[in-house]
């Protein structure tokens, strides 16, 4: 190889690197491609009395021996700002009906039928990666609604922000007024997630991933 070819190759290599670096540093470039997660109503069933146990494992209440009824789901995702950067110190709360369609709320349907082994509500505080994790159940329908999981995000200096996530491929979605209230198909897709079987799980566990993109960048 002659020195001139070496030089040319090195120049091309340097140019490529430069372009790569630019892609990662130009503010706002990546954000254009991120769909903001649509905000959804909190609904009437945020728990009116919090459980004694509010951790991120909704399958086991305190140190109970009996797990909740339902398809165990490992639900995770990241809380991101408008530029796609992780948001830390975001308190992520979820709540949903138990395997029988009952909320942890005194005005829920069939309140006395509630599955006492399901926590119904959980919390997770994000770290530097913006990641959250819950062990819960795959949501089931209840009268008037397609299956969904409610989310509330609490961040210092901001008002509470709520949304809901849905099961991809669930036929009831198309009949659900709250779901259909999201007009933009891309925004709808952003809250419609896969509940995929975990290979090798002997008890049929599922994994679901729901990233939440906020429409702002926190002040540091
Ligand atoms: Fe609900």
């Amino acid at each position: 190889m002659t020195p001139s070819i070496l030089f040319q190759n090195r120049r091309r290599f340097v140019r490529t690197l430069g372009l790569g670096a630019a892609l990662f540093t130009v503010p706002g470039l990546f954000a254009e491609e991120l769909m903001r997660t649509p905000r959804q109503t909190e609904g009437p069933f945020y728990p009116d009395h919090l459980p004694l146990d509010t951790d991120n494992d909704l399958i086991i209440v305190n140190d109970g021996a009996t797990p909740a009824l339902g398809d165990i789901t490992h639900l995770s995702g990241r809380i991101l700002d408008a530029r796609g950067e992780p948001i830390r110190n975001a308190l992520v709360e979820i709540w949903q009906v138990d395997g029988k369609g009952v909320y942890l709320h005194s005005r829920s349907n069939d309140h006395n039928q509630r599955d006492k082994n399901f926590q119904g509500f959980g919390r997770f505080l994000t770290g530097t990666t913006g990641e959250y994790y819950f062990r819960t159940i795959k949501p089931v329908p209840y009268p008037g609604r397609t299956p969904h999981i409610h989310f509330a995000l609490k961040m210092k200096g901001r008002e509470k922000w709520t949304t809901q996530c849905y099961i991809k491929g669930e036929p009831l979605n198309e009949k659900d007024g709250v779901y259909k209230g999201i007009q933009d198909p891309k925004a709808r897709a952003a809250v419609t997630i896969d509940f995929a079987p975990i290979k090798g799980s002997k008890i049929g566990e599922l994994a679901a991933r729901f990233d939440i993109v906020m429409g702002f960048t926190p002040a540091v």
Side-chain angles (χ1 to χ4, degrees):
M1 196 180 277
T2 65
S4 67
I5 291 174
L6 254 181
F7 180 67
Q8 279 178 356
N9 282 351
R10 189 183 300 138
R11 266 183 48 172
R12 191 174 301 137
F13 177 66
V14 169
R15 266 208 315 270
T16 310
L17 258 188
L19 178 64
L23 278 173
F24 286 109
T25 53
V26 174
L29 189 62
F30 188 47
E32 298 308 317
E33 296 168 20
L34 282 182
M35 182 72 213
R36 309 281 161 85
T37 306
R39 199 169 182 162
Q40 290 252 275
T41 175
E42 177 175 321
F45 295 118
Y46 183 90
D48 56 354
H49 52 288
L50 289 184
L52 289 175
D53 184 4
T54 59
D55 71 0
N56 63 327
D57 184 3
L58 283 69
I59 301 298
I60 298 286
V61 178
N62 289 326
D63 51 1
T66 314
L69 294 171
D71 298 327
I72 294 178
T73 299
H74 299 269
L75 172 65
S76 62
R78 286 197 303 159
I79 311 301
L80 302 170
D81 71 13
R83 297 176 313 182
E85 298 291 333
I87 300 181
R88 67 189 176 106
N89 287 332
L91 184 64
V92 184
E93 296 182 334
I94 65 166
W95 68 103
Q96 65 185 102
V97 289
D98 64 22
K100 300 172 180 176
V102 184
Y103 273 112
L104 181 64
H105 193 288
S106 55
R107 289 199 308 277
S108 181
N109 288 334
D110 302 320
H111 187 63
N112 48 5
Q113 306 282 312
R114 199 170 70 76
D115 175 8
K116 300 280 192 301
N117 298 310
F118 184 57
Q119 197 169 287
F121 171 92
R123 285 175 167 153
F124 192 95
L125 186 67
T126 62
T128 51
T129 62
E131 187 91 13
Y132 70 83
Y133 167 73
F134 293 98
R135 192 169 74 139
T136 187
I137 59 170
K138 184 180 181 185
V140 301
Y142 61 86
R145 289 301 316 274
T146 193
H148 58 279
I149 298 176
H150 291 268
F151 277 73
L153 261 62
K154 295 175 176 173
M155 285 165 269
K156 202 174 172 192
R158 300 212 150 249
E159 63 167 34
K160 180 164 67 172
W161 185 95
T162 57
T163 195
Q164 304 179 26
C165 73
Y166 302 86
I167 302 170
K168 196 180 275 179
E170 166 58 58
L172 287 171
N173 287 348
E174 296 312 316
K175 298 189 174 122
D176 189 273
V178 182
Y179 183 73
K180 289 200 302 184
I182 307 170
Q183 308 287 332
D184 178 356
K186 281 188 189 157
R188 235 186 242 194
V191 293
T192 314
I193 60 171
D194 259 330
F195 284 71
I198 296 176
K199 273 188 198 149
S201 168
K202 294 196 174 73
I203 54 168
E205 289 160 285
L206 305 167
R209 188 106 190 134
F210 180 44
D211 288 335
I212 296 180
V213 182
M214 306 299 294
F216 67 91
T217 298
V220 180

